[in-house]
Amino acid sequence: MTDRTLPTVRLGETGPETSVQGMGCMGMSFGYGPADAEQSRAALERAFDLGVTLYDTADAYGNGDNERFLAPFFKAHRDEVVIATKFALSIPPEDPSKRIIRNDAPYIRRAIEDSLKRLDVDVIDLYYMHRRDVNVPLEETVGVMADLVREGKVKHLGLSEVTADELRTAHAVHPIAAVQSEWSLFSRDIEAQVVPAARELGVGLVPYSPLGRGFLTGAFTDASKELSDGDFRRSQPRFTGDNATANAALLEPVRQVAKAHGATLGQVALAWVHQRAAVYGLAVVPIPGTRKAERITENTGAAHLVLTEEELALLEPIAAQVAGDRYADMTFTSAGREQ
């Protein structure tokens, strides 16, 4: 029996209707160290039972392994889920640890066919440009993506980590349903320009890492000491050394709010992201990632947690005090190109 408790919202003026909270699936195959397949499958089914309909992956997650892993789940629930995947991070055969950004037409054409095959579907509901290759005119890239819509291979278009100007340029070529970017109590750079542009154009926001890659939940305090060698959070500046120590101290107001509601730190962090929808007047669908069914229950519960104005004011100063950037190289982010 299903218990579909999440309300829905439309991403973009003509985009897909999804649950107000989606699920990031990357960690099931990539990025956070070894994963248990059975445990991950149980998490997917729990998410579905609780009304999660948007599932986010990418061709670069495990060099296609994440899409392959998700295919049976999508096949079982095809008419009731929104499949989101991405292109742009090419993996050179001579060095699987590297990523090369490609937005050219031949690459996109190959990427869509490969994703369709791995996912075992005829059409992808939401297809993102994962990162921006500044050497390829954006009009060309989005033009090819628009052709995929006309050909029936893609239903809706999305962009990840684009600037406000890039969003406007793309939207003029073809309607953009959603922009995906990091947005959390620790990461608010998109509020300066990207969020206002999305509201102006009627584009939805899909925040990734709304839990600060687990840091906001208190799951770890220093990635270099507590996480496995295969965990890429060990390379992110804000999660190690003095930065991590300083940032851990910033969780105290989150703890205060959580205690007042009998909630977890993660629920407060997610509730804050959900309330950005009312603050900015646009659709906001965070995609927290987890590999545990019990965390799915916790995360979806945050969609029903309403923080007071006083609590929001208590949390407001956190982002400005965070030590360290989101990535060691910020040029691949919207903030890095808007500076």
Side-chain angles (χ1 to χ4, degrees):
M1 179 180 293
T2 59
D3 178 18
R4 306 184 71 77
T5 62
L6 287 175
T8 62
V9 67
R10 186 170 298 282
L11 284 173
E13 295 180 351
T14 60
E17 184 174 344
T18 80
S19 51
V20 296
Q21 187 176 125
M23 183 175 182
C25 301
M26 180 187 78
M28 295 176 178
S29 307
F30 172 79
Y32 295 147
D36 182 290
E38 288 301 319
Q39 187 180 66
S40 294
R41 279 191 279 269
L44 288 167
E45 293 296 343
R46 184 58 176 156
F48 181 78
D49 286 345
L50 290 175
V52 175
T53 61
L54 176 64
Y55 296 85
D56 185 89
T57 181
D59 59 0
Y61 298 161
N63 197 13
D65 286 346
N66 199 235
E67 290 180 327
R68 294 186 192 94
F69 174 77
L70 293 168
F73 171 76
F74 290 151
K75 186 173 184 178
H77 304 293
R78 183 64 188 100
D79 294 337
E80 299 172 273
V81 298
V82 175
I83 300 173
T85 193
K86 315 176 194 74
F87 73 88
L89 297 182
S90 174
I91 302 173
E94 66 276 10
D95 189 350
S97 67
K98 289 186 177 180
R99 299 291 185 273
I100 299 172
I101 300 177
R102 291 189 59 179
N103 291 173
D104 57 283
Y107 179 77
I108 297 170
R109 286 285 179 185
R110 185 169 71 252
I112 185 65
E113 296 301 333
D114 288 346
S115 284
L116 287 168
K117 183 177 180 179
R118 285 189 294 261
L119 291 164
D120 194 20
V121 295
D122 296 324
V123 60
I124 290 167
D125 300 309
L126 180 56
Y127 199 43
Y128 287 100
M129 181 187 76
H130 203 161
R131 291 292 186 271
R132 169 90 167 97
D133 179 355
V134 296
N135 297 309
V136 178
L138 191 56
E139 294 88 345
E140 292 183 17
T141 300
V142 180
V144 177
M145 296 171 71
D147 287 341
L148 299 181
V149 175
R150 286 187 282 271
E151 294 164 13
K153 296 175 181 178
V154 171
K155 290 184 179 179
H156 307 285
L157 303 185
L159 305 169
S160 181
E161 290 288 0
V162 292
T163 68
D165 287 344
E166 289 166 347
L167 174 57
R168 292 188 180 96
T169 296
H171 196 73
V173 176
H174 187 279
I176 302 299
V179 167
Q180 186 174 129
S181 190
E182 189 164 351
W183 199 5
S184 73
L185 281 169
F186 268 25
S187 301
R188 299 180 60 178
D189 48 73
I190 65 169
E191 293 176 17
Q193 298 184 50
V194 177
V195 171
R199 179 176 57 192
E200 165 197 327
L201 299 170
V203 176
L205 258 294
V206 177
Y208 72 80
S209 298
L211 297 175
R213 303 193 186 279
F215 194 88
L216 284 166
T217 72
F220 68 97
T221 55
D222 189 324
S224 63
K225 297 178 181 178
E226 301 169 56
L227 304 182
S228 66
D229 289 342
D231 196 310
F232 87 107
R233 288 172 290 186
R234 290 167 59 95
S235 67
Q236 294 187 291
R238 60 180 49 167
F239 299 145
T240 59
D242 291 342
N243 286 347
T245 301
N247 292 336
L250 298 178
L251 297 181
E252 185 53 37
V254 186
R255 289 192 176 89
Q256 293 179 36
V257 176
K259 183 177 180 180
H261 286 274
T264 65
L265 298 181
Q267 286 178 321
V268 171
L270 270 176
W272 181 89
V273 176
H274 278 294
Q275 286 183 237
R276 300 305 91 191
V279 171
Y280 288 100
L282 77 172
V284 177
V285 180
I287 50 169
T290 185
R291 301 179 289 198
K292 298 180 180 179
E294 59 268 27
R295 291 284 179 248
I296 295 292
T297 304
E298 177 183 328
N299 291 346
T300 55
H304 307 287
L305 175 61
V306 179
L307 307 180
T308 68
E309 290 300 319
E310 291 77 14
E311 290 166 340
L312 292 173
L314 186 65
L315 301 173
E316 180 67 22
I318 292 176
Q321 302 175 63
V322 172
D325 284 330
R326 296 196 273 129
Y327 298 98
D329 183 354
M330 287 290 286
T331 61
F332 301 118
T333 70
S334 59
R337 294 194 302 281
E338 284 180 332
Q339 292 177 351

